[in-house]
């Protein structure tokens, strides 16, 4: 009888294992980042820093020297390089060069300190010779008025993407980026918690425009026909995301709420004046509820997923100090 050998069947082909993609970011320690200052002198005073620091933030001269001064130096390099690229492009196209502002986006959660970051950068950049005119706008001015939000059932979703006039905000930044003179933006009052009727901020061809807000790094959405709309970040030359652990952000939000009872909430004209008389325990419970009902869901769903779209990520520790920097490689 002949012997028959049976060869085991080869396993069905499957996807070959792939090595993980290299990170597009370079991670730097605070010490390594601080060395990038390269002896650039600090031009801000303690009074300057106190004037631009938000409630609850802890930014001092040491923080500015080690974190924000190196960042302003890097941004000065970017401004020069971008201006050179613009000149080359206009020469190639045979166009007459026009002044094109450098646009910086600053994103991050409620209570992370992104407003302070934006204001410190504005003050530092104004002191660089190539960028004396630096304007700052916040996306709060493009929130829909409360009456509009209430009519659409969105008052409890203030800060979510749908609570903004996104078309108006996009048009504003597109006009500024295109060199249009005297572009106006609405004004938001944190006292009245609403848009100020008839008030406006005028931006007139700055060297740099900083745009600060929760959702400035939102990606484009795909239409039913598979096309995409322009988004705000299409106009950014550089973007910063200010990051911190979610649990830490909750703590900072509650701490800020407690302080606001003695400051903004104490004003009889404040929208939140009803919170001024809360006890510490009542204030903590109220703030915690607002965080869990509104701010954390918005952070997790809409804000945090945009972190990896930033050019640079500043990571904060529990004392509000920056502990690490991630810079996107070109």
């Amino acid at each position: 009888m002949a012997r028959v050998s049976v060869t085991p069947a080869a396993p069905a082909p499957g996807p070959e294992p792939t090595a993980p993609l290299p990170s597009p970011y370079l991670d730097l320690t605070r010490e390594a980042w601080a060395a990038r200052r390269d002896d650039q002198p600090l031009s801000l005073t303690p009074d300057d820093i106190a004037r631009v620091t938000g409630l609850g933030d802890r930014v001092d001269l040491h923080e500015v020297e080690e974190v924000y001064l190196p960042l302003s130096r890097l941004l000065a390099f970017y401004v020069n390089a971008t201006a050179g690229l613009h000149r080359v492009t206009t020469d190639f196209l045979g166009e007459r060069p026009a002044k094109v502002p450098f646009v910086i986006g600053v994103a991050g959660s409620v209570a992370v300190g992104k407003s302070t970051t934006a204001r410190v950068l504005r003050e530092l950049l104004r002191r660089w010779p190539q960028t004396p005119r630096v304007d700052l706008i916040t996306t709060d001015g493009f929130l829909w008025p409360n009456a509009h939000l209430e009519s659409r059932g969105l008052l409890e979703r203030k800060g979510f993407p749908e609570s903004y006039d996104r078309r108006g905000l996009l048009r504003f930044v597109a006009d500024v980026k295109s060199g249009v003179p005297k572009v106006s933006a609405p004004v938001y009052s944190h006292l009245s918690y609403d848009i100020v009727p008839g008030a406006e901020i005028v931006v007139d061809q700055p060297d740099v425009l900083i745009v600060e807000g929760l959702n400035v790094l939102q990606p484009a959405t795909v239409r039913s026909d598979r096309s995409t709309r322009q988004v705000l970040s299409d106009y950014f030359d550089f973007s910063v995301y200010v990051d911190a652990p979610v649990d830490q952000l909750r703590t900072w939000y509650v701490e800020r709420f407690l302080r606001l009872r003695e400051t903004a909430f104490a004003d009889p004209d404040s929208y939140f004046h009803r919170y001024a008389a809360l006890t510490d325990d009542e204030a903590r419970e109220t703030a915690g509820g607002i965080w869990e009902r509104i701010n954390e869901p918005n952070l997790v769903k809409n804000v945090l997923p945009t972190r990896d779209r930033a050019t640079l990520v500043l990571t904060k520790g529990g004392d509000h100090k920056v502990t690490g920097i991630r810079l996107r490689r070109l």
Side-chain angles (χ1 to χ4, degrees):
M1 176 183 286
R3 299 183 61 188
V4 179
S5 63
V6 179
T7 303
E16 295 183 3
T18 57
L21 293 173
S23 170
Y25 284 98
L26 174 65
D27 290 291
L28 297 102
T29 64
R30 179 177 171 128
E31 292 72 22
W33 177 257
R36 306 279 71 79
R37 172 188 175 182
D38 196 29
D39 295 326
Q40 179 66 32
L42 178 62
S43 53
L44 298 187
T45 67
D47 287 344
D48 291 329
I49 295 170
R51 177 168 47 83
V52 300
T53 300
L55 186 65
D57 289 341
R58 300 178 183 91
V59 178
D60 54 22
L61 282 175
H62 192 60
E63 186 82 352
V64 173
E65 285 178 337
E66 293 197 344
V67 177
Y68 297 104
L69 188 54
L71 177 52
S72 76
R73 179 170 178 254
L74 177 63
L75 286 168
F77 290 147
Y78 268 75
V79 170
N80 282 338
T82 303
L85 181 60
H86 177 66
R87 285 192 298 271
V88 169
T89 304
T90 54
D91 286 347
F92 174 77
L93 295 174
E95 297 176 343
R96 186 172 64 181
K99 183 177 181 179
V100 177
F102 188 89
V103 181
I104 302 168
V106 178
S109 170
V110 170
V112 76
K114 63 185 179 299
S115 296
T116 296
T117 293
R119 290 191 293 261
V120 170
L121 287 177
R122 177 186 60 189
E123 296 306 311
L124 287 169
L125 288 170
R126 282 175 172 174
R127 288 157 171 81
W128 285 89
Q130 64 269 49
T131 54
R133 297 183 58 198
V134 182
D135 285 336
L136 166 63
I137 66 122
T138 72
T139 58
D140 290 346
F142 290 90
L143 284 162
W144 289 110
N146 284 355
H148 179 86
L149 293 173
E150 196 163 13
S151 69
R152 295 178 57 197
L154 294 175
L155 197 56
E156 278 282 296
R157 292 180 68 80
K158 211 167 191 179
F160 283 71
E162 62 268 27
S163 66
Y164 293 90
D165 176 9
R166 287 176 281 186
R167 185 183 297 274
L169 176 58
L170 184 65
R171 169 56 60 189
F172 170 83
V173 176
D175 284 347
V176 174
K177 185 66 174 175
S178 300
V180 175
K182 296 183 179 179
V183 185
S184 62
V187 175
Y188 183 81
S189 168
H190 288 276
L191 185 68
S192 65
Y193 194 59
D194 206 351
I195 300 298
V196 180
E200 62 181 21
I201 297 171
V202 177
V203 174
D204 189 7
Q205 297 181 310
D207 301 304
V208 175
L209 175 68
I210 301 173
V211 183
E212 176 259 308
L214 290 168
N215 299 297
V216 298
L217 293 178
Q218 284 282 309
T221 55
V222 181
R223 298 187 181 101
S224 57
D225 63 358
R226 310 300 296 174
S227 64
T228 58
R229 296 182 176 90
Q230 284 186 324
V231 291
L232 192 61
S233 59
D234 290 337
Y235 294 92
F236 292 167
D237 298 291
F238 195 97
S239 55
V240 179
Y241 187 97
V242 187
D243 193 27
V246 175
D247 289 346
Q248 187 62 64
L249 290 166
R250 183 189 189 281
T251 298
W252 290 343
Y253 178 78
V254 173
E255 289 173 350
R256 187 175 72 177
F257 190 94
L258 291 171
R259 293 189 187 95
L260 284 169
R261 289 177 308 162
E262 303 167 0
T263 53
F265 294 173
D267 190 324
D269 293 328
S270 171
Y271 180 88
F272 298 104
H273 183 61
R274 62 190 181 278
Y275 296 142
L278 294 178
T279 65
D280 285 357
D281 288 343
E282 290 170 338
R284 288 191 183 93
E285 182 179 357
T286 300
I290 295 172
W291 175 264
E292 291 161 11
R293 189 173 69 254
I294 301 172
N295 294 320
E296 185 172 341
N298 191 26
L299 169 63
V300 172
K301 180 180 179 181
N302 299 308
V303 183
L304 190 56
T306 70
R307 178 179 57 193
D308 289 343
R309 304 189 74 239
T311 315
L312 181 129
V313 179
L314 297 174
T315 302
K316 287 188 170 185
D319 58 357
H320 261 286
K321 303 297 184 184
V322 173
T323 57
I325 296 90
R326 305 189 78 198
L327 177 63
R328 182 177 285 274
R329 301 171 188 267
L330 292 177

